[in-house]
Amino acid sequence: MSPAAPTPAYRRLSVEERRAQLLQAALSLFAHRAPEEVSLDDVAEAAGVSRPLVYRYFPGGKQQLYEAALRSAADELQDCFDEPHEGPLPARLSRALDRYLAFVDSHDTGFSALLQGGSVVETSRTGAIVDGVRRAAAEHILSHLGVTGPGPRLRMTVRMWITAVEAASLIWLDEGKQPPADELRDWLVEQFSAVLTVTAARDEQTAELLHALG
């Protein structure tokens, strides 16, 4: 009779590991359900822990947990636009948008709740986190344009395009993720070129930029 296989030794998670586990469980729930529909019991069940343990790491309750999960998602969204400054600008934007739309696709309900607002857990802090993603994305785009000290018209153009990307993403979800993501990506890249061209007719800095981009 062969000896029984040894039982794997239990390993207590570190504070950082446990916190990361709870955040991942929360993110997986917030990704597909509106924040007000997720309870601490749901998070505890998803993480395989007790409700008191969730409170131990997030004594502020659901609000604190939601804001921490939102910051984690915001960091991931910001990273979508962190693209090496190599190759043609349209190709760089395409790669960034591929990552952005992949995030939207995998966090559909949560993404809609995040950007549309109206959640019972929405506060000035959560609004600031979301706005921080928009500003970071705009700064990434401006850096890819090679612009230092952008004027108000160019900065506004870039920020308007970021807003258009958000709106298109929400509509895309509402339309059953049609057209296909690659078509939406190409369309958004073409829109960026179009809005730069319109701004160039009124702004010398943007006109010089388009000339340099060739």
Side-chain angles (χ1 to χ4, degrees):
M1 182 175 180
S2 59
T7 301
Y10 172 78
R11 184 176 72 86
R12 183 183 297 274
L13 297 180
S14 69
V15 171
E16 293 78 12
E17 289 172 329
R18 179 66 74 187
R19 181 179 172 84
Q21 178 200 29
L22 293 174
L23 278 177
Q24 186 57 46
L27 276 171
S28 67
L29 293 171
F30 289 134
H32 302 293
R33 291 160 61 183
E36 55 268 28
E37 296 176 359
V38 177
S39 69
L40 286 183
D41 286 331
D42 293 330
V43 175
E45 181 179 357
V49 301
S50 66
R51 180 188 174 97
L53 184 63
V54 179
Y55 265 113
R56 183 187 306 172
Y57 284 84
F58 297 95
K62 177 177 172 178
Q63 183 65 42
Q64 183 184 7
L65 179 58
Y66 176 67
E67 290 179 11
L70 183 56
R71 287 191 187 94
S72 177
D75 289 342
E76 187 175 342
L77 266 177
Q78 289 183 25
D79 289 343
C80 290
F81 291 92
D82 188 9
E83 175 69 25
H85 291 206
E86 300 172 356
L89 179 62
R92 298 184 220 168
L93 289 179
S94 292
R95 290 191 293 270
L97 285 173
D98 278 339
R99 291 190 291 271
Y100 185 89
L101 292 174
F103 180 93
V104 173
D105 185 29
S106 61
H107 296 77
D108 44 15
T109 304
F111 182 84
S112 296
L114 169 67
L115 292 185
Q116 290 175 328
S119 168
V120 296
V121 293
E122 183 181 12
T123 66
S124 59
R125 292 189 299 275
T126 60
I129 294 170
V130 175
D131 191 55
V133 174
R134 295 174 180 134
R135 292 181 180 276
E139 291 304 319
H140 277 301
I141 299 302
L142 287 168
S143 71
H144 281 289
L145 292 173
V147 177
T148 56
R153 289 181 178 83
L154 179 56
R155 183 176 290 277
M156 184 180 295
T157 298
V158 171
R159 294 186 67 181
M160 285 171 58
W161 182 73
I162 295 296
T163 302
V165 169
E166 288 184 0
S169 299
L170 290 172
I171 296 170
W172 183 63
L173 292 176
D174 194 48
E175 293 290 336
K177 300 179 182 177
Q178 291 297 321
D182 57 344
E183 292 184 21
L184 177 59
R185 173 205 64 207
D186 292 344
W187 185 31
L188 290 170
V189 172
E190 291 166 4
Q191 284 189 347
F192 186 64
S193 298
V195 294
L196 283 180
T197 300
V198 171
T199 301
R202 294 175 176 268
D203 181 56
E204 183 177 349
Q205 182 184 41
T206 306
E208 292 175 353
L209 171 64
L210 280 182
H211 179 75
L213 291 173

